């Protein structure tokens, strides 16, 4: 069942009710909806488990068997306990409203599912509480969630529905993290090409967009022609695969031993967990962890089921503008004296790949040409100790409405040394580059650039045999290691773009503004570094 316009309207109506009812925070609202979705779905999951047990002739204890001791006496009608069957969505969501609904959900439902979560592989409900405590608003929202009929939707539809919820999150977090546009994620995943049997990791997972996209990519690559369908998302048609050629062991590996992630924000961990659960990946564990300030020894990694040798694939959009207290940064990720999260995360990801592992990571433009010692050292390590394969320059404004920062995507493999780098330049990404960046347009450079990356060996031959006196019209070009080294390992695409004199004289003003903005960020970072150095000298 595809995501219908009625479902979208219901989610928009829920959003409007919450906003109008005095709940303006879209992150908190998405978290609350994730709880309600979970409460709704558990009843059907319990019924499926009971049916499976009957077929397999194994024992089954329902979550709703036995009695529950009430937390709030006001919820009692004829004694201090109630049957646990009262926690079925079909009972309380349809039988209560107003103040009674708020009191029962707040004091009993959340406590009931918190108890269940405490015994699970990862505690989705840890610290959870009801924040929609206005009786009319909660009653309306519960009724609308009930009307979505989530139990009748397939995993893709439920996931798409939740993504529609997440689209309402339109502000950056305190550490500089924000939601990555899904079409950008899909392009990065297509280029990196994660495969079944590989481990896939996002150290700053947010709402798990990269992990979901990697899962969809693998399913599409393992689908028969009849198992591929068309779906419309965000005004664009895209192919979806059912993964019908995957073996039972491969499906099991995808569900239990493929996807890994962390986030520092408990709300993001909950949203990521729900996003994955709705996609059919309830056993993927997103850790509440800051990788820049904590380390895991071999024993702890084994307890968490993490691959000891590192990951095959890392996909990430780590925080851009955050800072970490110097004293909290673990030794493993330090690069000089920098406290910039974008540099520390990049160092962490370089070290977290297994030999030959692949990474696609979004970075602010300043990482590519910054002149501080930390910037230069990190790029030197990237180029001399790894194989940087490509840099994809994204259009300015691609992260609106969260941030106007100019960004690129680094693609590299762990180990070896870089011989040449392919630069890919996108002027358009399929959406209008305005303040909202959500209106679909025809112009889209990303598919052709992804293909140029796939054909990069042939592209290198064409580049070498080109007429250097002629104007280069392609949106991709190359630079060899000697050229990179002569330019302080600068990895900015515009630095090496071949231009005719006319192009030099008439550069796109947006490109010039993007470069100026990136230079401004770098200057601010250098000023902060100087302040820190002076403070340490005076101490």
């Amino acid at each position: 069942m595809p995501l219908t316009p009625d479902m979208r309207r219901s989610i928009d109506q829920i959003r409007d009710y919450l906003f109008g009812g005095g709940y303006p925070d879209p992150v908190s609202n998405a978290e609350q909806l994730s709880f309600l979705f979970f409460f709704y779905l558990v009843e059907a999951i319990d019924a499926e488990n009971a049916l499976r047990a009957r077929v397999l002739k194994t024992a089954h204890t329902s979550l709703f068997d036995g009695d529950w001791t009430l937390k709030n006496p006001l919820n009692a009608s004829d004694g201090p306990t109630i049957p646990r069957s009262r926690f079925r969505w079909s009972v309380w969501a349809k039988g209560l409203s107003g103040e009674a609904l708020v009191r029962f959900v707040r004091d009993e439902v959340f406590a009931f599912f918190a108890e269940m979560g405490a015994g699970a592989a990862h505690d989705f409900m840890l610290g959870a509480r009801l924040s929609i405590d206005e009786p009319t608003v909660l009653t309306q929202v519960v009724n609308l969630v009930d009307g979505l009929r989530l139990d009748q939707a397939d995993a893709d539809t439920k996931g798409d529905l939740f993504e529609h919820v997440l689209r309402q999150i339109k502000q950056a977090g305190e550490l500089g993290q924000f939601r990555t546009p899904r079409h950008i994620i899909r392009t990065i995943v297509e280029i990196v090409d994660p495969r079944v049997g590989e481990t896939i990791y996002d150290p700053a997972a947010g709402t798990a967009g990269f992990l979901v996209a990697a899962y969809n990519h693998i399913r599409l690559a393992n689908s028969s022609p009849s198992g591929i369908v068309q779906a419309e998302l965000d005004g664009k048609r895209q192919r979806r695969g059912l993964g019908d050629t995957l073996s039972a062991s491969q499906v099991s590996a995808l569900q239990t031993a493929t996807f890994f992630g962390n986030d520092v924000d408990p709300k993001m961990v909950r949203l990521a967990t729900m996003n994955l659960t709705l996609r059919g990946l309830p056993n993927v564990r997103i850790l509440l962890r800051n990788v820049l300030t904590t380390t895991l020894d071999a024993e702890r990694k084994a307890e968490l089921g993490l691959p000891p040798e590192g990951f095959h694939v890392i996909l990430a959009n780590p925080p851009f503008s955050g800072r970490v207290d110097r004293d909290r940064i673990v030794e493993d990720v330090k690069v000089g004296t920098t406290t910039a999260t974008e540099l520390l995360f990049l160092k962490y990801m370089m070290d977290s790949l297994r030999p030959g592992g692949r990474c696609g990571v979004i970075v602010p433009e300043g990482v590519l040409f910054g002149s501080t010692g930390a910037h230069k050292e990190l790029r030197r390590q990237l180029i001399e100790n790894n194989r940087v394969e490509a840099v994809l320059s994204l259009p300015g404004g691609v992260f609106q409405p969260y941030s106007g920062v100019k960004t690129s995507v680094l693609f590299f493999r762990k180990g070896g040394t870089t011989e040449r780098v392919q630069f890919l330049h996108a002027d358009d990404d399929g959406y209008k580059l305005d303040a909202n960046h959500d209106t679909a347009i025809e112009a889209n450079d990303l598919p052709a650039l992804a293909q140029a990356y796939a054909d990069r060996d042939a592209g290198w031959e064409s580049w070498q045999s080109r007429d250097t006196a002629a104007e280069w019209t392609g949106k991709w070009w190359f630079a060899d290691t000697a050229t990179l080294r002569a330019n302080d390992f600068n990895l900015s695409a515009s630095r090496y773009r071949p231009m005719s004199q006319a192009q030099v004289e008439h550069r796109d003003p947006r490109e010039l503004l993007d470069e100026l903005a990136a230079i401004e960020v770098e200057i601010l970072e250098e000023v902060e570094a100087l302040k820190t150095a002076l403070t340490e000298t005076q101490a």
Side-chain angles (χ1 to χ4, degrees), residues 422-425 449 452 458-460 462-463 472 474-478 498:
Q422 182 184 38
F423 294 96
L424 308 161
H425 178 83
L449 293 176
W460 171 244
S462 297
W463 172 257
W472 181 263
K475 293 193 174 184
W476 54 267
W477 50 92
F478 287 87

Side-chain angles (χ1 to χ4, degrees), residues 267-284:
K267 289 183 179 179
M268 289 297 111
V269 171
R270 292 194 186 106
L271 294 176
T273 301
M274 177 52 66
N275 200 8
L276 293 164
T277 298
L278 292 173
R279 297 285 182 180
L281 299 171
N283 296 315
V284 175

